[in-house]
Amino acid sequence: MNHELFFFFQSILWGVFLLFFYDLLRIGRRLFPRQALLVSLEDLAYWSLAGIFLFGKMYQANEGNIRGYSIIAVILGMTFYSCTISGKFVSMSVRILEIPLKFLISVEKRLLFAVRHCKILVSKKLRTLWQGFVKKIGKLKRGLKIEKKSGDKAKKAE
């Protein structure tokens, strides 16, 4: 009897833990919104892994027997956590984590603005340098053509 009671409470805790980790996933979704397809794939992966975890824990803790009351206990744990802590935990965590996230986003925007501005200045400077280089090459080519022509006339005169 003691073992079954301990296993029952252990199953309640597993339900709480499963929903707690799902809440972490929900917090991530609120901070970084995703497309519906990606959310569905995340849910599929999470609940598949959760089912494998739960089956393994139940199998290990109850010596290979899976009891119906343990599944009920997991659902009770999830329901208890969902009705008491879950909503407040998610909303407060999102509020707390949004503060540094907004700061990091503003720093990123400022850095990107500076990088873009520097990129524009550098590209303008490189363009003027390139244009100057092209002009010098053009002058050198014209100078070489003039020397060749005058050199050709000198050779013909000889």
Side-chain angles (χ1 to χ4, degrees):
M1 183 70 184
N2 250 353
H3 176 70
E4 282 83 13
L5 192 60
F6 179 73
F7 181 62
F8 182 79
F9 286 117
Q10 198 175 22
S11 298
I12 290 175
L13 282 178
W14 291 334
V16 169
F17 285 134
L18 286 177
L19 213 54
F20 171 76
F21 285 111
Y22 189 73
D23 277 350
L24 295 179
L25 190 63
R26 288 174 52 205
I27 291 168
R29 287 179 185 162
R30 287 193 185 172
L31 293 174
F32 306 103
R34 299 162 173 81
Q35 294 177 352
L37 178 65
L38 189 57
V39 170
S40 298
L41 290 174
E42 284 176 352
D43 280 347
L44 181 66
Y46 176 79
W47 289 111
S48 297
L49 292 173
I52 292 168
F53 165 78
L54 196 58
F55 178 78
K57 285 295 187 182
M58 286 182 182
Y59 192 81
Q60 179 185 11
N62 205 21
E63 300 164 357
N65 295 323
I66 300 210
R67 306 274 186 200
Y69 68 88
S70 64
I71 295 171
I72 293 170
V74 169
I75 293 170
L76 281 174
M78 289 177 149
T79 305
F80 173 75
Y81 176 79
S82 178
C83 291
T84 56
I85 301 169
S86 179
K88 293 175 186 171
F89 173 70
V90 171
S91 64
M92 288 183 67
S93 297
V94 168
R95 279 191 221 147
I96 291 169
L97 291 174
E98 276 181 338
I99 295 167
L101 187 64
K102 286 181 181 179
F103 174 74
L104 289 174
I105 289 172
S106 69
V107 167
E108 178 191 28
K109 285 181 181 179
R110 288 184 179 140
L111 288 174
L112 287 176
F113 175 77
V115 166
R116 286 186 195 118
H117 188 66
C118 288
K119 189 176 168 182
I120 291 169
L121 291 175
V122 168
S123 67
K124 284 181 180 179
K125 188 66 175 172
L126 286 174
R127 189 178 313 123
T128 56
L129 287 172
W130 179 255
Q131 288 171 349
F133 178 72
V134 169
K135 284 181 184 178
K136 286 186 181 183
I137 293 291
K139 285 180 184 178
L140 286 173
K141 284 183 179 179
R142 276 185 254 134
L144 288 174
K145 287 179 183 177
I146 293 171
E147 287 179 18
K148 282 184 180 178
K149 288 181 180 177
S150 63
D152 288 341
K153 289 180 183 178
K155 285 184 181 178
K156 287 182 181 178
E158 291 177 1

